[in-house]
Amino acid sequence: MKVALITGITGQDGAYLAELLLEKGYMVHGIKRRASLFNTDRIDHLYQDPHQEDIRLKLHYGDLTDSMNLTRIIQETQPDEIYNLAAMSHVQVSFETPEYTANADGIGTLRILEAVRLLGLEKKTKIYQASTSELYGLVQAVPQSETTPFYPRSPYAVAKIYAYWITVNYREAYNMFACNGILFNHESPLRGETFVTRKITRAVSKIVLGLQDKFYMGNLDAKRDWGHAKDYVEAMWKILQQEEPEDYVIATGITTKVRDFIRMAFLETGIQLRFEGEGLEEMGYIDSIDEQFFESRTGVKAVDVGCVIGKDVVAVDPRYFRPTEVDLLIGDSSKAQKQLNWKPKYNLPELVQEMVLSDIAIFKKDLILLANGHKILNQAE
Ligand code: NDP
Ligand code: GDR
């Protein structure tokens, strides 16, 4: 049985990857952080009682900032494959926690590579490093491929560029099977709530259920190449199954503006949106509603929850602007398509639909809580 170790198993990608590897018959070890509350929601459906015999999913407490802990876990688990997905992964937050981000996202990768080397596992253990399209940063050329120069634009991207190069360096210096997947943005119903797509699908769902009036956004003109996380974890696995260790861009090749993602999310509930104004004065208004479709999607009547034509539901707030922004990402994944035989199965409308329907189902539970006198918190993140 092949053994995999996943750092960041409690995150979006960790959850989808654990599911995939279990399906493929792997023994999966995951590193989770100690938190004051349970933090395993995304993988609870995969939970196996450690008191049982023959379990194939085991969680270990750990942290990318703790070398001894990582070395011990790698020694104990003797993995054939390590997927280093753990990171402080929020670009805007990295401006507020730059030192910690460098430690976890940059040096954390070094800690794993060095542990494998010191334990003499460099011939046995293959390593996947979660690199990112944020490395491209300030646009040098599009579409971005494995040969496009990097120009990072945030403490997160600068930390990840160290991780990228230290992975390449250990591959070249010690002949290790260490690879970078340069993944463009990928989303899902499990996406963290403060990334832009999930922020939008959550807010739209709350608005159409009458739980919230409007929401505030940053740069509506940023363009991203959005894929589905399920497709992207498949690529991670494929990268480690090749004869030679190499780096690959994983992307859909289609780019979309943030404002169009908002439009698409509302459209999933029968609402057409119209943007008016400029800069900080820009607002998104309800332009039309397909009442029947709205009711079939939400189970409530638009007028009953205050969704009426002309109502403003989106506004811009400068607190969400970044000190330095990445304006345009569009990936060229032709190498992965050719060498890995990988291509995305989901398209953006399917992704948006899955996310909106999932969030509507989640917030319908809030309607029940509200009806029973509980308070609902609308966090402004
Ligand atoms: P998430 O933010 O959803 O998950 C990050 C995971 O890392 C969580 O399990 C988190 O634990 C864990 N983690 C954070 N800090 C530490 C630490 N110091 N020690 C140990 N674990 C830690 O990210 P995604 O799943 O979306 O992304 C996975 C990886 O891929 C990340 O490295 C990200 O930077 C990178 N990436 C993501 C892309 C995307 O579009 N999603 C695109 C390109 C790269 P906890 O649950 O406790 O917070
Ligand atoms: P990104 O993702 O920074 O690309 O990093 P995010 O979803 O946070 O932002 C995408 C774009 O949307 C703009 N934006 C907003 N973003 C957020 N979060 N909140 C807002 O209110 C908002 N308004 C506009 C942003 O300015 C940005 O241009 C993600 C992370 O998963 C990284 O870990 C990963 O490496 C990259 O994708 C690829």
Side-chain angles (χ1 to χ4, degrees):
M1 195 193 304
K2 271 197 179 175
V3 177
L5 173 64
I6 305 176
T7 73
I9 195 168
T10 57
Q12 170 190 252
D13 292 5
Y16 281 111
L17 181 65
E19 198 169 306
L20 179 79
L21 296 180
L22 287 169
E23 272 166 27
K24 290 188 182 296
Y26 278 67
M27 169 73 210
V28 177
H29 294 276
I31 298 186
K32 68 168 177 176
R33 296 193 285 183
R34 192 268 160 183
S36 62
L37 296 169
F38 281 123
N39 60 353
T40 52
D41 288 16
R42 290 184 177 108
I43 49 169
D44 282 348
H45 63 295
L46 304 173
Y47 177 80
Q48 298 178 6
D49 184 343
H51 304 99
Q52 308 287 316
E53 278 178 23
D54 300 332
I55 58 163
R56 287 202 293 115
L57 174 69
K58 193 169 173 199
L59 299 182
H60 307 253
Y61 283 112
D63 200 293
L64 274 198
T65 60
D66 184 338
S67 308
M68 283 185 279
N69 159 269
L70 293 172
T71 308
R72 182 182 52 74
I73 294 172
I74 294 171
Q75 184 177 32
E76 268 175 30
T77 57
Q78 297 279 310
D80 299 297
E81 297 170 8
I82 297 179
Y83 295 87
N84 183 32
L85 309 186
M88 200 311 286
S89 73
H90 203 284
V91 172
Q92 184 149 23
V93 175
S94 78
F95 287 97
E96 289 173 43
T97 60
E99 182 184 345
Y100 171 71
T101 304
N103 191 3
D105 299 15
I107 307 297
T109 304
L110 171 67
R111 292 186 180 103
I112 289 186
L113 291 160
E114 188 62 1
V116 168
R117 195 178 77 83
L118 291 177
L119 292 167
L121 293 173
E122 63 270 53
K123 292 282 164 290
K124 171 184 168 70
T125 307
K126 297 178 175 181
I127 300 169
Y128 173 89
Q129 167 57 22
S131 284
T132 162
S133 50
E134 284 296 295
L135 299 178
Y136 298 116
L138 191 67
V139 179
Q140 307 293 298
V142 282
Q144 290 112 348
S145 73
E146 293 80 2
T147 54
T148 305
F150 298 144
Y151 193 132
R153 294 272 278 173
S154 61
Y156 166 77
V158 174
K160 284 279 187 179
I161 216 164
Y162 176 83
Y164 171 92
W165 281 116
I166 200 69
T167 301
V168 173
N169 183 246
Y170 269 57
R171 178 168 76 217
E172 293 174 352
Y174 306 116
N175 224 0
M176 285 167 64
F177 199 109
C179 308
N180 288 288
I182 307 173
L183 271 50
F184 283 60
N185 301 54
H186 45 278
E187 320 294 314
S188 72
L190 299 185
R191 185 56 145 153
E193 288 91 342
T194 61
F195 296 98
V196 77
T197 57
R198 187 79 197 288
K199 173 171 169 174
I200 294 166
T201 60
R202 278 168 54 90
V204 168
S205 304
K206 284 186 169 187
I207 288 169
V208 298
L209 291 174
L211 292 166
Q212 187 175 331
D213 277 335
K214 68 171 165 186
F215 62 106
Y216 295 86
M217 298 291 304
N219 179 8
L220 298 176
D221 289 317
K223 288 173 139 185
R224 289 292 182 274
D225 179 333
W226 281 299
H228 196 302
K230 219 170 176 175
D231 283 335
Y232 286 45
V233 299
E234 180 98 35
M236 295 177 187
W237 175 77
K238 286 191 162 195
I239 288 172
L240 291 195
Q241 311 313 310
Q242 302 307 299
E243 288 288 315
E244 296 298 326
E246 289 183 37
D247 306 320
Y248 296 87
V249 162
I250 304 297
T252 70
I254 298 170
T255 196
T256 307
K257 278 189 180 182
V258 168
R259 79 176 69 244
D260 291 326
F261 191 102
I262 301 175
R263 281 203 186 95
M264 290 171 78
F266 273 108
L267 211 51
E268 278 307 322
T269 69
I271 291 179
Q272 291 262 10
L273 212 64
R274 165 174 53 93
F275 282 99
E276 266 181 20
E278 271 182 37
L280 293 176
E281 304 307 314
E282 185 166 4
M283 293 268 216
Y285 296 90
I286 295 178
D287 199 33
S288 70
I289 306 174
D290 178 336
E291 302 275 355
Q292 259 186 340
F293 190 68
F294 185 96
E295 204 178 326
S296 72
R297 277 289 203 243
T298 61
V300 292
K301 285 191 189 308
V303 65
D304 289 348
V305 292
C307 284
V308 291
I309 291 171
K311 180 181 175 181
D312 59 299
V313 283
V314 186
V316 176
D317 180 342
R319 69 189 279 213
Y320 301 114
F321 293 158
R322 294 171 182 184
T324 39
E325 174 65 292
V326 174
D327 293 318
L328 166 63
L329 290 172
I330 171 164
D332 171 2
S333 63
S334 37
K335 177 180 173 186
Q337 297 199 21
K338 197 159 152 243
Q339 285 181 219
L340 305 178
N341 193 22
W342 175 88
K343 68 173 196 297
K345 297 189 187 89
Y346 285 83
N347 61 30
L348 187 58
E350 288 165 340
L351 170 67
V352 175
Q353 184 182 92
E354 191 183 331
M355 291 179 71
V356 169
L357 293 185
S358 165
D359 278 331
I360 287 178
I362 288 171
F363 290 118
K364 275 192 157 175
K365 292 184 199 142
D366 276 4
L367 283 180
I368 300 169
L369 289 175
L370 207 61
N372 287 287
H374 292 273
K375 208 171 159 230
I376 304 297
L377 179 66
N378 283 327
Q379 279 156 305
E381 283 256 28

